[in-house]
Amino acid sequence: MNYHILTLFPDMVADGLNTSIIGRAADKGLLSIEAINIRDYTKEKHGHVDDAPYGGGAGMVMQALPVCEAYEALCKRLGKRPKVLYMTPQGRVFNQTIARELAGEEDLVFLCGHYEGIDERALEMIVSDCLSIGDYVLTGGELPAMVMIDCISRLIPGVLSNDSSAEIESFHDNLLEYPQYTRPEIYEGRRVPEVLLSGHHKRIEQWRREQSIRRTWERRPDLLDGANLTEKEMIFLKSLGSEAKKDLQI
Ligand code: ADE
């Protein structure tokens, strides 16, 4: 996977992504991260990349020319026109399914806006998809791009030390992850659940699955519609509802 980030703050993304797991994956050649400075493509004397909005209003708008020229130069260099993802709160909300789809691409371009946004004509000309990381407004698209790159990268084979750990994750099978424990066995009087010390793999697996279902029911019940539950697990899920009703009656 080759990521190309079009931004006015290349240091921000380069510094943010060259550490930890993603940085190591880049060192290993499993992915590459290139921050392209949009400012390098302006033709204005003082390096301006923005101007006041036509029609008036607050703030500045990023001009179409440097954005389009930055992308076209990249396409020329690559010999292809990779997908451009524009980071905006107006986009589809990014999730694990979108991450899985994008992980199959060879090259991805992340377009990061600043100020009051980017001239609409540039967006019409080069953007393939608008993506958001949630219903709140940030000062720019760099953090959303970094969030998405982190999420997509951990799905690339070899990036996580253990391939299977990307699969056993929150949202795999639409269920949240079960609770985890490590040594010591007792911390501040709180014991690790007995079943995890039993060495009984089948019972541990069943306990974990039930914990996942319970957590999802408590914290993200909206996900349960898409979960694949066995008949026995459906009965367990219903029992959680009855448990809660009983608690209310006490
Ligand atoms: N730019 C500003 N806010 C954003 C958000 N929530 N998601 C994606 N890009 C953004």
Side-chain angles (χ1 to χ4, degrees):
M1 168 69 78
N2 305 303
Y3 300 109
H4 314 273
I5 304 145
L6 301 181
T7 171
L8 290 174
F9 300 94
D11 292 346
M12 181 177 175
V13 276
D15 291 348
L17 291 169
N18 73 5
T19 47
S20 188
I21 293 174
I22 307 304
R24 248 178 287 137
D27 291 342
K28 279 200 263 176
L30 295 168
L31 53 89
S32 73
I33 299 164
E34 174 193 29
I36 298 169
N37 193 344
I38 294 171
R39 202 176 295 280
D40 291 345
Y41 293 87
T42 180
K43 295 201 164 60
E44 305 245 343
K45 249 200 266 149
H46 300 291
H48 284 157
V49 287
D50 59 332
D51 211 327
Y54 277 119
M60 300 290 264
V61 177
M62 281 170 66
Q63 291 173 298
L65 182 138
V67 172
C68 290
E69 295 271 316
Y71 177 61
E72 293 305 331
L74 172 68
C75 295
K76 208 165 164 194
R77 183 154 50 86
L78 296 178
K80 57 180 163 183
R81 302 183 70 77
K83 260 193 189 151
V84 178
L85 310 171
Y86 176 44
M87 306 292 101
T88 166
Q90 297 181 12
R92 281 196 293 155
V93 178
F94 184 73
N95 61 23
Q96 200 67 32
T97 307
I98 298 175
R100 257 182 238 122
E101 273 167 33
L102 294 175
E105 298 285 330
E106 206 173 320
D107 289 270
L108 281 174
V109 178
F110 289 80
L111 174 57
C112 306
H114 255 268
Y115 316 122
E116 290 308 306
I118 298 179
D119 188 305
E120 193 66 22
R121 292 164 296 184
L123 303 178
E124 286 166 7
M125 287 165 72
I126 68 169
V127 169
S128 329
D129 204 353
C130 295
L131 290 176
S132 163
I133 58 164
D135 292 338
Y136 40 84
V137 182
L138 302 169
T139 55
E142 284 76 12
L143 286 170
M146 287 157 74
V147 165
M148 293 181 205
I149 288 171
D150 187 285
C151 179
I152 296 164
S153 299
R154 62 189 291 289
L155 301 175
I156 296 169
V159 169
L160 297 184
S161 52
N162 175 1
D163 247 356
S164 61
S165 48
E167 277 302 306
I168 306 167
E169 64 188 0
S170 285
F171 303 118
H172 173 62
D173 207 8
N174 259 43
L175 293 176
L176 301 186
E177 203 184 352
Y178 48 79
Q180 296 275 26
Y181 301 85
T182 187
R183 285 201 292 196
E185 228 176 277
I186 305 172
Y187 177 70
E188 300 274 328
R190 292 162 188 263
R191 295 193 78 89
V192 170
E194 206 57 49
V195 63
L196 299 179
L197 310 173
S198 68
H200 198 300
H201 294 299
K202 233 178 141 151
R203 272 181 48 212
I204 293 172
E205 207 181 297
Q206 189 192 337
W207 181 87
R208 285 181 163 167
R209 185 81 183 163
E210 287 184 0
Q211 289 293 315
S212 282
I213 297 169
R214 180 186 286 275
R215 278 219 156 164
T216 313
W217 178 76
E218 285 169 352
R219 299 179 184 187
R220 290 293 307 276
D222 56 302
L223 293 175
L224 281 170
D225 272 349
N228 243 332
L229 301 185
T230 64
E231 228 168 277
K232 221 168 143 198
E233 288 169 347
M234 283 302 290
I235 293 168
F236 174 71
L237 178 61
K238 285 205 186 104
S239 79
L240 295 175
S242 329
E243 220 177 77
K245 268 192 211 138
K246 256 192 247 146
D247 285 348
L248 278 176
Q249 281 162 8
I250 291 169

